[in-house]
Amino acid sequence: MDSARMRTIGTTIVFLFLLSTAQAANYLSLVNQFMAPQNAARVAIRMRPLVWDARLARYAQWYANQRRKDCALRHSNGPYGENIFWGSGNGWTPSQAAVAWVSEKKWFNYWSNSCAGGQQCGHYTQIVWGRTKRIGCAKVVCDGRRGVFMTCNYDPPGNYIGERPY
């Protein structure tokens, strides 16, 4: 093999390595953006952090892809706990979705095990559910740039009526 061809092959291998490294870095950034606010909420109440689960992430991606066409805030009704988020435009980040869910803490009253009147806090309680150990999330930009849909799935699921999250 001539030296020009060897350089071309070497350059191609380096390019593919850098491309895969960049993709891996983007994926790790996405994972960290979803997880950091949620695990911070768990640590704040002395709970173990959630662990990223590739199976849950695949499920979340599968479902997010279903919502890509309509961007509907509709749950998958699957076997996992689930938080969903929609924001108009295409600039929403996973951290913004996770922070929105965590911010519901202000509406949750542990002693009465309920949300303040007219408020939501089920996203927060799913995040801090004591028996939940694993998480997987996904993000899609909806067709026609109608918004960003994000979802996180939790295993084991939480938010059982009559039970406290922790």
Side-chain angles (χ1 to χ4, degrees):
M1 193 175 297
D2 66 17
S3 64
R5 184 174 167 102
M6 289 293 288
R7 279 193 305 273
T8 301
I9 290 172
T11 302
T12 301
I13 290 170
V14 168
F15 173 75
L16 291 173
F17 173 76
L18 291 173
L19 181 62
S20 67
T21 303
Q23 288 173 333
N26 286 341
Y27 182 73
L28 290 175
S29 172
L30 182 91
V31 168
N32 187 52
Q33 286 184 56
F34 274 120
M35 290 188 68
Q38 296 184 74
N39 278 336
R42 290 178 67 89
V43 168
I45 55 171
R46 298 184 177 156
M47 302 207 46
R48 289 183 182 214
L50 298 170
V51 175
W52 188 260
D53 185 284
R55 177 179 48 96
L56 292 171
R58 282 191 300 276
Y59 180 86
Q61 190 64 61
W62 168 82
Y63 187 64
N65 289 338
Q66 307 305 304
R67 297 277 60 90
R68 185 187 305 265
K69 289 181 177 60
D70 61 11
C71 225
L73 267 176
R74 195 174 308 142
H75 284 280
S76 70
N77 297 316
Y80 309 113
E82 184 172 69
N83 284 344
I84 58 176
F85 174 92
W86 174 83
S88 65
N90 64 349
W92 293 92
T93 66
S95 349
Q96 289 171 310
V99 166
W101 296 327
V102 169
S103 73
E104 293 177 0
K105 177 182 183 175
K106 67 182 169 271
W107 306 119
F108 179 65
N109 182 313
Y110 179 82
W111 303 111
S112 67
N113 195 29
S114 64
C115 299
Q119 301 298 325
Q120 287 188 10
C121 59
H123 299 103
Y124 169 73
T125 55
Q126 174 57 79
I127 290 166
V128 298
W129 198 262
R131 289 187 300 272
T132 298
K133 306 294 182 216
R134 292 170 294 282
I135 184 175
C137 307
K139 169 189 171 181
V140 295
V141 174
C142 300
D143 292 349
R145 295 182 157 317
R146 289 187 303 203
V148 174
F149 181 89
M150 291 182 254
T151 181
C152 287
N153 291 98
Y154 305 85
D155 188 45
N159 285 344
Y160 291 102
I161 295 171
E163 291 185 29
R164 291 189 191 281
Y166 51 90

